[in-house]
Amino acid sequence: ANLAKFEKRRAELEKSAAERHEQALARQAKLNALTGVVITMKAGEEGKLFGSIGVRDIVEAVKNAGAHVEKREVCLPEGALRMGGDYEIMVELDSDLTATIKVKVVAEG
């Protein structure tokens, strides 16, 4: 009886994992095709930003561009962005699935 319960539960978990992976694949295609993610921030003469751009700012910019990511999915291995320019931000969608978002940081001022 326990073996039957275990097999039933395992089938349910595998099904939910497959559904989650399919959703992540769809999100990956949408995020990889995403263009126009622009963040504007005041900066000094050399392009150094007053302040920095963190995960929260990136999530908001992606949301404004028409997609959805969560804060826990965004990877900034080198820390917050402090200079203007183009960046490729890695987003971990599933355990083995990532997407890359191209973010343009525009320095104003």
Side-chain angles (χ1 to χ4, degrees):
N2 284 339
L3 189 59
K5 280 184 192 178
F6 173 76
E7 289 298 323
K8 181 180 176 190
R9 180 70 177 144
R10 187 180 74 149
E12 291 171 359
L13 290 174
E14 287 176 353
K15 181 181 175 188
S16 68
E19 289 173 358
R20 188 174 59 245
H21 190 73
E22 288 297 318
Q23 291 172 348
L25 282 173
R27 288 182 57 212
Q28 179 189 39
K30 186 173 184 177
L31 290 173
N32 284 337
L34 192 63
T35 58
V37 180
V38 178
I39 300 174
T40 305
M41 190 170 212
K42 291 195 180 288
E45 295 175 16
E46 299 171 0
K48 186 169 171 75
L49 301 176
F50 294 137
S52 62
I53 295 174
V55 172
R56 185 176 301 150
D57 302 311
I58 293 169
V59 168
E60 188 67 29
V62 169
K63 180 179 164 188
N64 292 339
H68 174 73
V69 293
E70 294 182 24
K71 289 192 304 185
R72 64 181 169 81
E73 297 173 330
V74 177
C75 298
L76 291 176
E78 297 172 11
L81 310 177
R82 300 188 191 287
M83 297 288 291
D86 295 328
Y87 295 92
E88 290 189 354
I89 307 297
M90 186 76 71
V91 179
E92 292 181 0
L93 300 171
D94 202 4
S95 60
D96 61 342
L97 196 60
T98 61
T100 303
I101 302 172
K102 292 177 176 65
V103 176
K104 182 176 185 95
V105 178
V106 178
E108 68 178 25

XYZ file of all heavy atoms in Angstrom:
821
model
N 0.835 -1.199 0.000
C 0.000 0.000 0.000
C 0.876 1.257 0.000
O 0.585 2.211 -0.702
C -0.916 -0.006 1.219
N 1.933 1.231 0.813
C 2.824 2.385 0.851
C 3.533 2.582 -0.490
O 3.766 3.710 -0.915
C 3.869 2.229 1.957
C 3.286 2.489 3.322
O 2.259 3.146 3.443
N 3.929 1.961 4.350
N 3.883 1.496 -1.128
C 4.533 1.582 -2.427
C 3.602 2.216 -3.458
O 4.034 3.046 -4.271
C 4.982 0.194 -2.883
C 5.856 0.148 -4.125
C 7.127 0.964 -3.909
C 6.208 -1.299 -4.453
N 2.334 1.870 -3.399
C 1.352 2.451 -4.317
C 1.199 3.948 -4.059
O 1.133 4.750 -5.000
C 0.009 1.744 -4.171
N 1.158 4.348 -2.776
C 1.083 5.771 -2.432
C 2.311 6.507 -2.938
O 2.218 7.610 -3.482
C 0.996 5.950 -0.912
C -0.334 5.737 -0.313
C -0.244 6.063 1.180
C -1.454 5.614 1.925
N -1.338 5.901 3.359
N 3.476 5.891 -2.737
C 4.724 6.509 -3.175
C 4.740 6.699 -4.685
O 5.110 7.771 -5.180
C 5.906 5.625 -2.741
C 7.224 6.090 -3.290
C 7.860 7.187 -2.733
C 7.816 5.451 -4.360
C 9.064 7.624 -3.228
C 9.017 5.876 -4.868
C 9.657 6.969 -4.301
N 4.340 5.690 -5.428
C 4.329 5.788 -6.899
C 3.344 6.860 -7.373
O 3.638 7.613 -8.299
C 3.979 4.432 -7.526
C 5.064 3.402 -7.400
C 6.352 3.797 -8.110
O 6.286 4.412 -9.183
O 7.431 3.492 -7.574
N 2.194 6.944 -6.726
C 1.203 7.958 -7.089
C 1.763 9.349 -6.816
O 1.667 10.254 -7.647
C -0.090 7.740 -6.302
C -1.171 8.733 -6.645
C -2.437 8.488 -5.833
C -3.451 9.558 -6.142
N -4.586 9.532 -5.249
N 2.367 9.543 -5.660
C 2.943 10.846 -5.290
C 4.100 11.215 -6.221
O 4.241 12.360 -6.625
C 3.425 10.788 -3.830
C 4.025 12.070 -3.343
C 2.967 13.144 -3.193
N 3.603 14.326 -2.665
C 3.282 15.553 -2.994
N 2.300 15.777 -3.823
N 3.918 16.578 -2.477
N 4.921 10.225 -6.578
C 6.037 10.475 -7.489
C 5.534 10.916 -8.861
O 6.070 11.842 -9.466
C 6.905 9.234 -7.623
C 8.182 9.495 -8.422
C 8.979 8.266 -8.510
N 8.297 7.395 -9.475
C 8.910 6.529 -10.251
N 10.204 6.370 -10.162
N 8.243 5.794 -11.092
N 4.472 10.291 -9.337
C 3.893 10.664 -10.633
C 3.367 12.099 -10.589
O 3.552 12.866 -11.547
C 2.782 9.692 -11.016
N 2.727 12.468 -9.477
C 2.226 13.846 -9.329
C 3.373 14.850 -9.340
O 3.298 15.892 -9.993
C 1.438 13.987 -8.029
C 0.124 13.255 -8.000
C -0.518 13.255 -6.623
O 0.075 13.826 -5.662
O -1.601 12.671 -6.488
N 4.449 14.543 -8.606
C 5.597 15.445 -8.546
C 6.284 15.575 -9.900
O 6.687 16.670 -10.296
C 6.595 14.972 -7.488
C 6.139 15.107 -6.040
C 7.153 14.459 -5.101
C 5.924 16.558 -5.676
N 6.412 14.469 -10.626
C 7.025 14.519 -11.954
C 6.180 15.340 -12.913
O 6.708 16.092 -13.727
C 7.232 13.106 -12.500
C 8.367 12.367 -11.823
C 8.504 10.933 -12.298
O 7.642 10.459 -13.069
O 9.488 10.287 -11.894
N 4.865 15.203 -12.806
C 3.965 15.975 -13.668
C 4.094 17.471 -13.372
O 4.193 18.293 -14.285
C 2.519 15.520 -13.460
C 1.531 16.242 -14.334
C 0.108 15.772 -14.075
C -0.861 16.600 -14.885
N -2.254 16.332 -14.543
N 4.111 17.842 -12.088
C 4.228 19.269 -11.740
C 5.594 19.816 -12.147
O 5.697 20.958 -12.599
C 3.963 19.495 -10.255
O 4.985 18.937 -9.483
N 6.646 19.018 -12.022
C 7.973 19.460 -12.445
C 8.021 19.667 -13.953
O 8.621 20.629 -14.442
C 9.028 18.448 -12.017
N 7.374 18.795 -14.712
C 7.334 18.939 -16.166
C 6.561 20.198 -16.569
O 6.975 20.925 -17.477
C 6.704 17.704 -16.798
N 5.450 20.460 -15.882
C 4.676 21.675 -16.168
C 5.490 22.924 -15.849
O 5.490 23.888 -16.614
C 3.375 21.677 -15.360
C 2.363 20.676 -15.829
C 1.163 20.575 -14.906
O 1.129 21.272 -13.861
O 0.249 19.798 -15.229
N 6.190 22.923 -14.724
C 7.019 24.060 -14.332
C 8.138 24.288 -15.353
O 8.442 25.416 -15.706
C 7.586 23.834 -12.935
C 8.302 25.049 -12.362
C 8.730 24.850 -10.910
N 9.616 23.716 -10.734
C 9.326 22.609 -10.045
N 8.162 22.492 -9.444
N 10.198 21.626 -9.934
N 8.706 23.192 -15.856
C 9.774 23.299 -16.855
C 9.234 23.860 -18.175
O 9.888 24.692 -18.809
C 10.414 21.931 -17.068
C 11.659 21.983 -17.884
N 12.835 22.491 -17.391
C 11.910 21.626 -19.168
C 13.760 22.423 -18.325
N 13.220 21.910 -19.410
N 8.047 23.451 -18.569
C 7.428 23.978 -19.798
C 7.158 25.479 -19.672
O 7.398 26.246 -20.602
C 6.128 23.241 -20.121
C 6.320 21.834 -20.608
C 7.090 21.772 -21.924
O 6.820 22.595 -22.816
O 7.976 20.902 -22.039
N 6.666 25.898 -18.517
C 6.432 27.325 -18.286
C 7.751 28.092 -18.323
O 7.829 29.193 -18.870
C 5.732 27.550 -16.943
C 4.312 27.063 -16.908
C 3.716 27.120 -15.510
O 4.413 27.321 -14.523
N 2.403 26.917 -15.433
N 8.794 27.511 -17.754
C 10.108 28.162 -17.762
C 10.647 28.276 -19.182
O 11.256 29.288 -19.537
C 11.076 27.393 -16.875
N 10.419 27.268 -20.011
C 10.853 27.329 -21.417
C 10.150 28.462 -22.155
O 10.769 29.198 -22.936
C 10.589 25.999 -22.123
C 11.569 24.873 -21.833
C 11.083 23.576 -22.470
C 12.944 25.231 -22.350
N 8.847 28.625 -21.907
C 8.105 29.703 -22.548
C 8.619 31.062 -22.086
O 8.801 31.986 -22.890
C 6.614 29.564 -22.244
N 8.878 31.191 -20.787
C 9.422 32.446 -20.259
C 10.821 32.715 -20.803
O 11.180 33.857 -21.077
C 9.463 32.409 -18.726
C 8.077 32.517 -18.114
C 8.109 32.521 -16.612
N 8.945 33.613 -16.122
C 9.655 33.535 -14.999
N 9.636 32.457 -14.263
N 10.374 34.567 -14.608
N 11.618 31.654 -20.973
C 12.966 31.819 -21.506
C 12.921 32.404 -22.914
O 13.661 33.331 -23.230
C 13.698 30.473 -21.526
C 15.108 30.573 -22.088
C 15.744 29.224 -22.311
O 15.072 28.282 -22.738
N 17.025 29.129 -22.028
N 12.045 31.886 -23.752
C 11.927 32.400 -25.111
C 11.499 33.867 -25.102
O 12.041 34.686 -25.854
C 10.925 31.559 -25.905
N 10.564 34.208 -24.231
C 10.095 35.590 -24.152
C 11.190 36.526 -23.651
O 11.380 37.618 -24.191
C 8.875 35.668 -23.231
C 8.233 37.028 -23.186
C 6.943 37.016 -22.401
C 6.282 38.372 -22.456
N 4.996 38.386 -21.774
N 11.930 36.107 -22.631
C 12.981 36.959 -22.073
C 14.160 37.104 -23.024
O 14.735 38.189 -23.142
C 13.454 36.409 -20.726
C 12.456 36.531 -19.587
C 12.968 35.803 -18.356
C 12.160 37.977 -19.268
N 14.544 36.024 -23.709
C 15.658 36.114 -24.653
C 15.325 37.027 -25.826
O 16.207 37.657 -26.394
C 16.066 34.731 -25.151
C 16.853 33.949 -24.123
O 17.460 34.526 -23.230
N 16.845 32.647 -24.237
N 14.051 37.096 -26.202
C 13.638 37.942 -27.317
C 13.352 39.380 -26.876
O 13.093 40.243 -27.711
C 12.389 37.350 -27.973
N 13.406 39.635 -25.584
C 13.056 40.946 -25.048
C 14.079 42.009 -25.451
O 15.281 41.824 -25.304
C 12.990 40.849 -23.523
C 12.379 42.020 -22.763
C 10.919 42.183 -23.152
C 12.489 41.767 -21.280
N 13.583 43.078 -26.012
C 14.439 44.215 -26.352
C 13.825 45.464 -25.740
O 12.655 45.496 -25.400
C 14.555 44.407 -27.878
O 13.240 44.602 -28.407
C 15.198 43.202 -28.535
N 14.604 46.486 -25.621
C 14.067 47.736 -25.111
C 14.040 47.848 -23.607
O 13.279 48.641 -23.064
N 14.850 47.065 -22.909
C 14.953 47.210 -21.460
C 15.981 48.304 -21.200
O 17.182 48.095 -21.340
C 15.360 45.892 -20.771
C 15.463 46.099 -19.271
C 14.371 44.798 -21.093
N 15.470 49.490 -20.873
C 16.334 50.650 -20.678
C 16.108 51.192 -19.274
O 14.974 51.344 -18.837
C 16.028 51.744 -21.725
C 16.894 52.965 -21.491
C 16.219 51.211 -23.126
N 17.208 51.476 -18.597
C 17.146 52.080 -17.271
C 17.903 53.403 -17.362
O 19.062 53.432 -17.763
C 17.772 51.173 -16.198
C 17.038 49.835 -16.146
C 17.740 51.856 -14.842
C 17.675 48.819 -15.224
N 17.235 54.490 -17.007
C 17.852 55.806 -17.049
C 18.117 56.265 -15.619
O 17.257 56.163 -14.754
C 16.922 56.811 -17.747
O 16.589 56.295 -19.039
C 17.580 58.153 -17.904
N 19.333 56.781 -15.409
C 19.701 57.231 -14.075
C 20.688 58.391 -14.189
O 21.481 58.440 -15.118
C 20.335 56.073 -13.295
C 20.530 56.336 -11.840
S 20.999 54.809 -11.008
C 20.260 55.085 -9.427
N 20.634 59.293 -13.250
C 21.559 60.430 -13.250
C 22.996 59.938 -13.054
O 23.235 58.996 -12.308
C 21.198 61.417 -12.157
C 19.898 62.136 -12.413
C 19.777 63.326 -11.512
C 18.486 64.071 -11.753
N 18.463 64.792 -12.995
N 23.907 60.609 -13.764
C 25.305 60.185 -13.700
C 26.215 61.393 -13.777
O 25.810 62.481 -14.204
C 25.614 59.228 -14.841
N 27.452 61.186 -13.387
C 28.477 62.224 -13.471
C 29.044 62.310 -14.877
O 28.604 61.631 -15.800
N 30.056 63.134 -15.038
C 30.640 63.365 -16.347
C 31.309 62.131 -16.931
O 31.367 61.972 -18.145
C 31.663 64.506 -16.254
C 31.046 65.840 -15.913
C 32.092 66.919 -15.703
O 33.258 66.703 -16.109
O 31.740 67.953 -15.137
N 31.840 61.266 -16.121
C 32.554 60.095 -16.605
C 31.648 58.893 -16.843
O 32.113 57.811 -17.159
C 33.651 59.714 -15.606
C 34.674 60.815 -15.410
C 35.612 60.516 -14.260
O 35.467 59.452 -13.620
O 36.486 61.355 -14.007
N 30.351 59.047 -16.679
C 29.413 57.945 -16.868
C 29.135 57.150 -15.613
O 28.363 56.206 -15.634
N 29.770 57.518 -14.503
C 29.531 56.819 -13.242
C 28.194 57.282 -12.671
O 27.928 58.474 -12.560
C 30.668 57.111 -12.262
C 30.565 56.324 -10.985
C 31.854 56.470 -10.191
C 31.717 55.892 -8.816
N 31.730 54.452 -8.791
N 27.359 56.324 -12.340
C 26.015 56.629 -11.860
C 26.030 57.191 -10.440
O 26.882 56.830 -9.638
C 25.156 55.368 -11.886
C 24.988 54.680 -13.241
C 24.201 53.399 -13.067
C 24.316 55.588 -14.236
N 25.084 58.096 -10.173
C 24.850 58.538 -8.803
C 23.958 57.476 -8.164
O 22.769 57.433 -8.402
C 24.162 59.901 -8.761
C 24.996 61.025 -9.303
C 24.444 61.973 -10.133
C 26.335 61.138 -8.992
C 25.201 63.021 -10.626
C 27.107 62.169 -9.480
C 26.540 63.121 -10.301
N 24.537 56.620 -7.381
C 23.804 55.483 -6.846
C 24.152 54.253 -7.664
O 25.174 54.198 -8.339
N 23.302 53.250 -7.618
C 23.551 52.029 -8.370
C 22.228 51.409 -8.799
O 21.170 51.762 -8.290
C 24.350 51.036 -7.533
O 23.616 50.682 -6.387
N 22.318 50.478 -9.727
C 21.142 49.773 -10.212
C 21.229 48.347 -9.690
O 22.180 47.624 -9.986
C 21.092 49.797 -11.748
C 20.915 51.235 -12.213
C 19.971 48.908 -12.253
C 20.985 51.422 -13.693
N 20.229 47.970 -8.909
C 20.214 46.647 -8.309
C 19.141 45.763 -8.915
O 18.529 46.089 -9.941
N 18.918 44.654 -8.268
C 17.961 43.660 -8.748
C 16.558 44.250 -8.850
O 15.852 44.027 -9.842
C 17.979 42.432 -7.809
C 16.871 41.469 -8.158
C 19.325 41.746 -7.865
N 16.157 45.022 -7.857
C 14.814 45.601 -7.854
C 14.594 46.502 -9.073
O 13.539 46.460 -9.698
C 14.596 46.394 -6.568
C 13.189 46.938 -6.427
C 12.980 47.623 -5.110
N 13.236 46.677 -4.022
C 13.692 47.008 -2.834
N 13.948 48.263 -2.551
N 13.887 46.111 -1.910
N 15.605 47.310 -9.432
C 15.497 48.186 -10.596
C 15.387 47.384 -11.885
O 14.633 47.741 -12.790
C 16.716 49.113 -10.670
C 16.865 49.960 -9.420
O 15.863 50.571 -8.997
O 17.982 49.994 -8.860
N 16.130 46.296 -11.973
C 16.091 45.450 -13.165
C 14.734 44.771 -13.300
O 14.158 44.727 -14.385
C 17.238 44.421 -13.131
C 18.576 45.152 -13.251
C 17.082 43.385 -14.225
C 19.783 44.303 -12.966
N 14.203 44.263 -12.196
C 12.881 43.625 -12.217
C 11.821 44.628 -12.681
O 10.971 44.305 -13.504
C 12.527 43.045 -10.821
C 11.065 42.642 -10.741
C 13.431 41.868 -10.499
N 11.887 45.849 -12.190
C 10.929 46.890 -12.574
C 11.058 47.230 -14.052
O 10.052 47.399 -14.758
C 11.136 48.136 -11.713
C 10.072 49.194 -11.894
C 8.706 48.752 -11.382
O 8.630 47.939 -10.460
O 7.706 49.228 -11.955
N 12.284 47.332 -14.563
C 12.498 47.663 -15.972
C 11.991 46.544 -16.882
O 11.393 46.810 -17.934
C 13.978 47.920 -16.236
N 12.202 45.298 -16.491
C 11.705 44.167 -17.281
C 10.182 44.154 -17.264
O 9.539 43.889 -18.290
C 12.285 42.835 -16.745
C 11.594 41.639 -17.361
C 13.780 42.782 -16.998
N 9.600 44.464 -16.132
C 8.136 44.541 -16.027
C 7.591 45.627 -16.954
O 6.604 45.417 -17.655
C 7.736 44.837 -14.576
C 6.254 44.944 -14.341
C 5.991 45.216 -12.874
C 4.590 45.719 -12.665
N 4.369 46.162 -11.290
N 8.266 46.783 -16.990
C 7.842 47.867 -17.875
C 8.009 47.503 -19.350
O 7.323 48.042 -20.206
C 8.623 49.151 -17.576
C 8.261 49.723 -16.227
O 7.198 49.434 -15.676
N 9.139 50.533 -15.671
N 8.937 46.586 -19.651
C 9.163 46.148 -21.028
C 8.178 45.057 -21.447
O 8.164 44.650 -22.605
C 10.595 45.658 -21.199
N 7.368 44.568 -20.514
C 6.319 43.618 -20.872
C 6.583 42.173 -20.496
O 5.922 41.277 -20.992
N 7.529 41.908 -19.620
C 7.798 40.536 -19.188
C 7.793 40.485 -17.662
O 7.591 41.506 -17.009
C 9.140 40.063 -19.740
N 8.003 39.301 -17.127
C 7.970 39.150 -15.669
C 9.149 38.313 -15.207
O 9.406 37.229 -15.735
C 6.667 38.467 -15.239
C 6.633 38.144 -13.783
N 6.473 39.102 -12.814
C 6.780 36.969 -13.118
C 6.504 38.528 -11.620
N 6.690 37.238 -11.782
N 9.883 38.826 -14.240
C 10.899 38.051 -13.528
C 10.753 38.370 -12.046
O 10.212 39.409 -11.675
C 12.349 38.369 -13.985
C 12.585 37.920 -15.396
C 12.684 39.812 -13.816
N 11.233 37.469 -11.224
C 11.208 37.699 -9.789
C 12.613 38.063 -9.321
O 13.604 37.719 -9.965
C 10.720 36.439 -9.070
C 9.269 36.119 -9.394
C 8.770 34.897 -8.643
O 9.341 34.582 -7.573
O 7.820 34.269 -9.122
N 12.676 38.736 -8.189
C 13.975 39.183 -7.670
C 14.929 38.019 -7.442
O 16.113 38.119 -7.730
C 13.797 39.962 -6.367
C 13.177 41.322 -6.556
C 13.266 42.187 -5.329
C 12.663 41.571 -4.110
N 12.644 42.475 -2.955
N 14.421 36.918 -6.965
C 15.288 35.778 -6.651
C 15.878 35.144 -7.911
O 16.851 34.401 -7.828
C 14.542 34.737 -5.842
C 13.385 34.097 -6.576
C 12.675 33.072 -5.690
N 11.436 32.652 -6.275
C 11.316 31.741 -7.232
N 12.380 31.156 -7.706
N 10.135 31.414 -7.716
N 15.299 35.414 -9.086
C 15.774 34.814 -10.327
C 16.916 35.597 -10.974
O 17.671 35.056 -11.768
C 14.622 34.716 -11.335
C 13.503 33.809 -10.886
C 12.300 33.844 -11.794
O 12.032 34.892 -12.413
O 11.616 32.814 -11.888
N 17.042 36.885 -10.654
C 18.044 37.740 -11.297
C 19.415 37.535 -10.646
O 19.537 37.579 -9.433
C 17.625 39.223 -11.207
C 18.685 40.122 -11.810
C 16.290 39.434 -11.901
N 20.428 37.330 -11.474
C 21.799 37.108 -10.979
C 22.676 38.302 -11.330
O 22.812 38.654 -12.498
C 22.399 35.862 -11.616
S 21.517 34.367 -11.234
N 23.261 38.901 -10.319
C 24.247 39.964 -10.507
C 25.525 39.536 -9.786
O 25.802 39.982 -8.676
C 23.735 41.293 -9.936
C 22.577 41.949 -10.651
C 22.126 43.200 -9.914
C 22.949 42.295 -12.077
N 26.323 38.660 -10.420
C 27.506 38.131 -9.727
C 28.546 39.188 -9.384
O 29.294 39.027 -8.431
C 28.074 37.101 -10.707
C 27.510 37.478 -12.024
C 26.196 38.137 -11.753
N 28.592 40.279 -10.150
C 29.570 41.329 -9.882
C 28.969 42.474 -9.069
O 29.560 43.537 -8.954
C 30.142 41.849 -11.201
C 30.889 40.772 -11.962
C 31.286 41.197 -13.348
O 31.181 42.403 -13.666
O 31.709 40.326 -14.112
N 27.788 42.265 -8.543
C 27.136 43.285 -7.727
C 26.307 44.239 -8.565
O 26.075 44.025 -9.747
N 25.873 45.301 -7.937
C 25.003 46.283 -8.587
C 25.737 46.985 -9.730
O 26.963 47.094 -9.733
C 24.531 47.306 -7.561
N 24.965 47.451 -10.709
C 25.527 48.163 -11.853
C 25.790 49.609 -11.456
O 24.911 50.286 -10.935
C 24.558 48.101 -13.033
C 24.028 46.711 -13.400
C 23.033 46.811 -14.544
C 25.149 45.774 -13.735
N 26.992 50.104 -11.718
C 27.375 51.445 -11.297
C 27.815 52.353 -12.439
O 28.136 53.506 -12.210
C 28.501 51.364 -10.263
C 28.095 50.578 -9.033
C 29.137 50.675 -7.941
N 28.903 49.735 -6.861
C 27.944 49.841 -5.950
N 27.100 50.831 -5.998
N 27.830 48.946 -4.995
N 27.837 51.811 -13.667
C 28.257 52.601 -14.825
C 27.196 52.489 -15.919
O 26.469 51.505 -15.988
C 29.596 52.079 -15.389
C 30.768 52.194 -14.446
S 31.340 53.877 -14.224
C 32.038 54.231 -15.812
N 27.128 53.488 -16.774
C 26.246 53.422 -17.919
C 26.800 52.424 -18.923
O 27.986 52.103 -18.914
N 25.943 51.915 -19.804
C 26.388 50.980 -20.828
C 25.403 49.854 -21.037
O 24.277 49.868 -20.533
N 25.824 48.877 -21.832
C 24.993 47.705 -22.131
C 25.449 46.535 -21.274
O 26.642 46.264 -21.157
C 25.100 47.336 -23.608
C 24.533 48.427 -24.510
O 23.583 49.106 -24.086
O 25.042 48.581 -25.632
N 24.479 45.832 -20.715
C 24.773 44.694 -19.851
C 23.918 43.508 -20.268
O 22.804 43.674 -20.749
C 24.465 45.021 -18.385
C 25.334 46.099 -17.809
C 24.942 47.434 -17.844
C 26.553 45.793 -17.220
C 25.740 48.434 -17.315
C 27.357 46.787 -16.678
C 26.942 48.098 -16.734
O 27.744 49.080 -16.210
N 24.452 42.312 -20.062
C 23.678 41.089 -20.226
C 23.462 40.506 -18.836
O 24.405 40.154 -18.146
C 24.407 40.094 -21.124
C 24.443 40.535 -22.569
C 24.968 39.452 -23.502
O 25.411 38.389 -23.013
O 24.925 39.696 -24.704
N 22.207 40.427 -18.447
C 21.841 39.971 -17.112
C 21.310 38.539 -17.208
O 20.427 38.249 -18.008
C 20.747 40.878 -16.499
C 21.159 42.347 -16.542
C 20.401 40.426 -15.091
C 22.383 42.685 -15.743
N 21.858 37.660 -16.394
C 21.445 36.260 -16.375
C 20.250 36.100 -15.440
O 20.238 36.638 -14.331
C 22.595 35.388 -15.890
C 22.319 33.916 -15.972
S 22.435 33.276 -17.639
C 24.178 33.372 -17.917
N 19.246 35.345 -15.906
C 18.050 35.070 -15.109
C 17.915 33.550 -15.003
O 17.840 32.859 -16.018
C 16.789 35.668 -15.778
C 15.554 35.347 -14.962
C 16.938 37.165 -15.951
N 17.903 33.026 -13.789
C 17.752 31.588 -13.562
C 16.267 31.258 -13.441
O 15.638 31.565 -12.436
C 18.487 31.165 -12.301
C 19.986 31.277 -12.416
C 20.718 30.825 -11.165
O 20.053 30.425 -10.186
O 21.946 30.883 -11.181
N 15.723 30.616 -14.458
C 14.298 30.321 -14.490
C 13.950 28.991 -13.826
O 12.890 28.843 -13.231
C 13.815 30.298 -15.942
C 14.021 31.607 -16.694
C 13.711 31.416 -18.158
C 13.176 32.698 -16.096
N 14.831 28.018 -13.972
C 14.624 26.701 -13.390
C 15.998 26.177 -13.013
O 17.012 26.822 -13.288
C 13.926 25.787 -14.406
C 13.198 24.621 -13.752
O 13.156 24.559 -12.515
O 12.666 23.760 -14.485
N 16.081 25.022 -12.432
C 17.368 24.530 -11.954
C 18.404 24.417 -13.062
O 19.584 24.624 -12.833
C 17.181 23.172 -11.279
O 16.649 22.244 -12.212
N 17.988 24.109 -14.273
C 18.932 23.945 -15.376
C 18.593 24.848 -16.565
O 19.033 24.599 -17.678
C 18.955 22.488 -15.823
C 17.603 22.011 -16.329
O 16.595 22.685 -16.019
O 17.542 20.994 -17.024
N 17.838 25.904 -16.333
C 17.357 26.739 -17.429
C 17.579 28.212 -17.096
O 17.133 28.684 -16.049
C 15.856 26.476 -17.636
C 15.239 26.927 -18.927
C 15.912 26.239 -20.111
C 13.766 26.599 -18.942
N 18.298 28.916 -17.978
C 18.556 30.333 -17.769
C 18.163 31.120 -19.010
O 18.055 30.572 -20.093
C 20.043 30.602 -17.470
O 20.819 30.174 -18.586
C 20.501 29.897 -16.218
N 17.969 32.404 -18.818
C 17.703 33.334 -19.919
C 18.644 34.518 -19.750
O 19.143 34.790 -18.661
C 16.250 33.799 -19.889
N 18.887 35.232 -20.841
C 19.743 36.400 -20.810
C 18.939 37.610 -21.249
O 18.310 37.592 -22.306
C 20.954 36.210 -21.737
O 21.649 35.034 -21.342
C 21.890 37.387 -21.646
N 18.964 38.644 -20.427
C 18.268 39.894 -20.736
C 19.311 40.948 -21.054
O 20.267 41.120 -20.300
C 17.416 40.367 -19.541
C 16.400 39.309 -19.142
C 16.723 41.677 -19.865
C 15.683 39.635 -17.861
N 19.111 41.639 -22.158
C 20.011 42.733 -22.499
C 19.438 44.027 -21.920
O 18.341 44.426 -22.265
C 20.156 42.843 -24.017
C 20.905 41.646 -24.597
C 20.974 41.727 -26.098
C 21.785 40.614 -26.684
N 21.255 39.299 -26.520
N 20.197 44.656 -21.026
C 19.769 45.871 -20.351
C 20.696 47.010 -20.758
O 21.921 46.860 -20.724
C 19.808 45.684 -18.813
C 19.462 46.977 -18.103
C 18.871 44.578 -18.388
N 20.100 48.112 -21.129
C 20.880 49.300 -21.483
C 20.708 50.313 -20.359
O 19.591 50.713 -20.039
C 20.399 49.874 -22.804
C 21.204 51.074 -23.256
C 20.738 51.542 -24.630
C 21.596 52.642 -25.127
N 22.669 52.188 -26.000
N 21.824 50.724 -19.764
C 21.807 51.730 -18.709
C 22.223 53.060 -19.342
O 23.322 53.186 -19.846
C 22.764 51.360 -17.563
C 22.771 52.453 -16.506
C 22.361 50.031 -16.944
N 21.289 53.997 -19.343
C 21.519 55.297 -19.951
C 21.806 56.305 -18.842
O 21.014 56.474 -17.917
C 20.299 55.757 -20.773
C 20.523 57.122 -21.367
C 19.993 54.730 -21.870
N 22.950 56.961 -18.961
C 23.335 57.966 -17.974
C 22.832 59.323 -18.446
O 23.087 59.731 -19.575
C 24.854 57.985 -17.831
N 22.097 59.992 -17.595
C 21.625 61.338 -17.939
C 22.293 62.360 -17.027
O 22.610 62.078 -15.896
C 20.096 61.425 -17.841
C 19.554 61.306 -16.447
C 18.052 61.454 -16.379
O 17.359 61.188 -17.372
O 17.567 61.823 -15.303
N 22.458 63.559 -17.579
C 23.046 64.621 -16.759
C 24.443 64.768 -17.072
O 25.454 64.968 -16.976
